[in-house]
Amino acid sequence: MRKWMSLPALLLLFAQLQAQPTQKPVLHGKNWMAITGKPLAATAGSMLFQQGGNAVDAACAMLAATCTMWDVLHWGGETQVLLYNPNTKKVIALNGLGVAPTGATPEFFKSKGYAFPPEYGPLAAVTPGTPGSICYLIANYGTKSLKEVLAPAMQLAAGYPIEAQTANSIERQKDRIKQWPYSKAVFLPHLGEKREAPEAGEIFTQQNLLNTLTKMVEAEQAALKAGKTRKQAIMAAYDRFYKGDIAKEFVRGCQEQGGLITMQDLANWKPIEEEPVKVSYKGIDVYKLQQWTQGPSMLQALNILENFDLKSMGYNSAPYIHTVSQAMHLSFADRDFYYGDPYFNKQQPMQGLLSKEYAKQRAALIDPTKNLSPALPGDPYPFEGKTNPFSKLLQQWAQLADTTASGGGAIPSHDVRQLAYQHSAQDELYMDRLLRGTTSVEAADKDGWVVSITPSGGWVPACIAGNTGIGMSQRMQSFVLDSALNPFNVVAPGKRPRVTLTPSFAMKDGKPFLSFAVQGGDTQDQNLLQFFLNVVEFGMNVQQASEAANVNTNQLWLSLGGTKMKDRAPRAGDIILQNRTPEAVRKALKDMGYKLSFTERSSGPINAIFFDWKHNSFWGGSSNHGEDYGIGW
């Protein structure tokens, strides 16, 4: 295997990385750690910890707070969880993703001229998963009442000083918001004025949402007075949301605005506790959610990269960037064709996709001198002793990408994340869809509970369902309407879309090692993969790794965005680099066939907790991208 760096150069690089300054300090704590996307929400987690709650209670308080603050999600969205239970010493997964409602068929959407379900409005909504997930987590693994966990969120709903990021997002999206009467009433308190959204620092109130949360707490408290157990009382609140008067108003408001969700859809839905999937990378067990998320693509990439000496290549050298990008291209091609709701189709070849033997076959496709384009899905079925039932579709797949490609070429060499540059509106929309984010929640306590969550759905501009105050999900857009794109992810009533949302957890020597998550659409597992390698291969601490420069690729089918095929088609060789990438690296990558774009921050807003067993303490990393914030004690 070719060696890319001499030992002295490698030792110098490690010394530089260890001394690498960060824009935010690493967090330390010995009792607990609470990290999420908003300072006030992190404070909500710290409040539960200070009241004696465990990491599950704190994580749910942070989730409830971020939803209430519209941290690019709301209460009608979805919740994806990895949880470490110290009593059983096992990692469990919670599938809190909503399902497509009655009437959501390919024929329905095609009749409206869509190639994908819409990205906004009531027809973009799957059933809400976050309220039920919070209830389930608290009831089964928390220690506090729903009333205690929701108290910070209810105070926020009663009125909090809105931050500039959300307030300005509302103002930018106000024309779309005005299409939906209940959204207009909540988001635009200054209707008719020049600025119709709230100002930064203005007290933003959500009375209808407060009423909904109050009803849930009332149901819990009434059940307790009637002699029900703590768990039964929390689930009484769950039932009021999904089967009672809250459900009736949600359905009425949804259908009034053209949505499809029915009472039966809500009553039939429930969160599902699952086994996560995992692979071992150099003795470290890495856990992800099942293939209803994109999570296994990171595991596939790790399996591929285990066949290369990444450390000798050097952090973010041209060979390293190339090798990591190729592994991502190959794993994302498999994601795009094979991933989907496992409860609808049992033929998904996950055993083959996650096998080391299949990874060796995929690794052999990587040419160290040039970009592989197109990177096609492989055939993992033989690694399970089976024949691929979709071989004909597989043969058509590359042609589909070629015939629908936008032809936009690389994004101009400017800051793509801030979109502060001149180029086509189509390219700007593309980058927004690639990078579209939500939030993440990380919590851990001294008793061993660990929670990693990547929630989403109901982001601004959200369509609010009637007088519930609840912004509906927009996750329907992650389905496809044509099996030629992905036979496992075609929309159907009661089915979950394959989502980008992907919390992560790692164990080493039988103990928690890393808990980490990120927002950012299709870039999530790209950034999480490189964060993990930054720690494991290059010795960075969690704050350094969360801020370190990564590479993002556009050579994949977008999971979010426009309703036309060309809006989402792969862009061969398009990669996004940190804007301080050395010229020699840029030239080498161009010679390999890449088209380069640049950004100030390319790491993604990663939040993470490292478990320091030598000192029995926590190290917390909180992204320097925006408002992400952590508190430890």
Side-chain angles (χ1 to χ4, degrees), residues 28 41 55 79 126 144 331 336 439 610:
H28 290 285
T79 292
V126 296
K144 294 294 185 178
S331 63
D336 290 339
T439 196
F610 169 75

Short mmCIF file of all heavy atoms in Angstrom, two decimals, residues 28 41 55 79 126 144 331 336 439 610:
data_model
loop_
_atom_site.label_atom_id
_atom_site.label_comp_id
_atom_site.label_asym_id
_atom_site.label_seq_id
_atom_site.Cartn_x
_atom_site.Cartn_y
_atom_site.Cartn_z
N HIS A 28 -16.39 20.44 29.65
CA HIS A 28 -16.03 19.38 30.58
C HIS A 28 -17.12 19.22 31.64
O HIS A 28 -17.76 20.19 32.04
CB HIS A 28 -14.71 19.70 31.28
CG HIS A 28 -13.51 19.64 30.38
ND1 HIS A 28 -12.96 18.46 29.95
CD2 HIS A 28 -12.76 20.62 29.82
CE1 HIS A 28 -11.93 18.70 29.17
NE2 HIS A 28 -11.79 20.02 29.08
N ALA A 41 -32.45 26.05 24.83
CA ALA A 41 -32.82 24.64 24.87
C ALA A 41 -31.81 23.83 25.68
O ALA A 41 -32.19 22.91 26.42
CB ALA A 41 -32.95 24.08 23.47
N ALA A 55 -30.42 11.49 31.86
CA ALA A 55 -30.13 12.01 30.52
C ALA A 55 -31.33 11.91 29.60
O ALA A 55 -31.47 12.72 28.67
CB ALA A 55 -28.93 11.26 29.93
N THR A 79 -38.74 12.09 15.23
CA THR A 79 -37.67 11.97 16.22
C THR A 79 -36.96 10.63 16.04
O THR A 79 -37.59 9.57 16.06
CB THR A 79 -38.24 12.08 17.65
OG1 THR A 79 -38.69 13.42 17.85
CG2 THR A 79 -37.18 11.75 18.69
N VAL A 126 -46.07 13.90 6.85
CA VAL A 126 -46.33 12.58 7.41
C VAL A 126 -46.91 12.79 8.80
O VAL A 126 -46.94 13.90 9.32
CB VAL A 126 -45.04 11.73 7.49
CG1 VAL A 126 -44.50 11.44 6.09
CG2 VAL A 126 -43.97 12.40 8.34
N LYS A 144 -38.80 11.47 35.34
CA LYS A 144 -39.65 12.61 35.66
C LYS A 144 -41.02 12.47 35.01
O LYS A 144 -41.24 11.65 34.13
CB LYS A 144 -38.98 13.91 35.20
CG LYS A 144 -37.70 14.26 35.94
CD LYS A 144 -37.99 14.57 37.40
CE LYS A 144 -36.76 15.03 38.14
NZ LYS A 144 -37.08 15.37 39.55
N SER A 331 -21.02 4.36 -1.09
CA SER A 331 -22.01 4.02 -0.06
C SER A 331 -23.32 4.77 -0.28
O SER A 331 -24.41 4.23 -0.04
CB SER A 331 -21.46 4.31 1.34
OG SER A 331 -21.19 5.68 1.54
N ASP A 336 -29.03 5.25 -2.09
CA ASP A 336 -30.04 5.78 -2.99
C ASP A 336 -30.90 4.69 -3.62
O ASP A 336 -32.05 4.95 -3.99
CB ASP A 336 -29.38 6.62 -4.08
CG ASP A 336 -28.79 7.93 -3.54
OD1 ASP A 336 -29.23 8.37 -2.46
OD2 ASP A 336 -27.90 8.49 -4.20
N THR A 439 -31.71 20.09 13.90
CA THR A 439 -30.95 20.28 15.12
C THR A 439 -30.47 18.92 15.58
O THR A 439 -30.77 17.89 14.96
CB THR A 439 -31.81 20.97 16.21
OG1 THR A 439 -30.95 21.48 17.23
CG2 THR A 439 -32.81 20.02 16.82
N PHE A 610 -17.67 12.88 24.32
CA PHE A 610 -16.64 11.86 24.43
C PHE A 610 -16.56 11.40 25.89
O PHE A 610 -16.61 12.21 26.81
CB PHE A 610 -15.28 12.41 24.00
CG PHE A 610 -14.11 11.52 24.32
CD1 PHE A 610 -13.87 10.38 23.58
CD2 PHE A 610 -13.26 11.83 25.38
CE1 PHE A 610 -12.80 9.55 23.88
CE2 PHE A 610 -12.18 11.01 25.69
CZ PHE A 610 -11.95 9.86 24.93
#
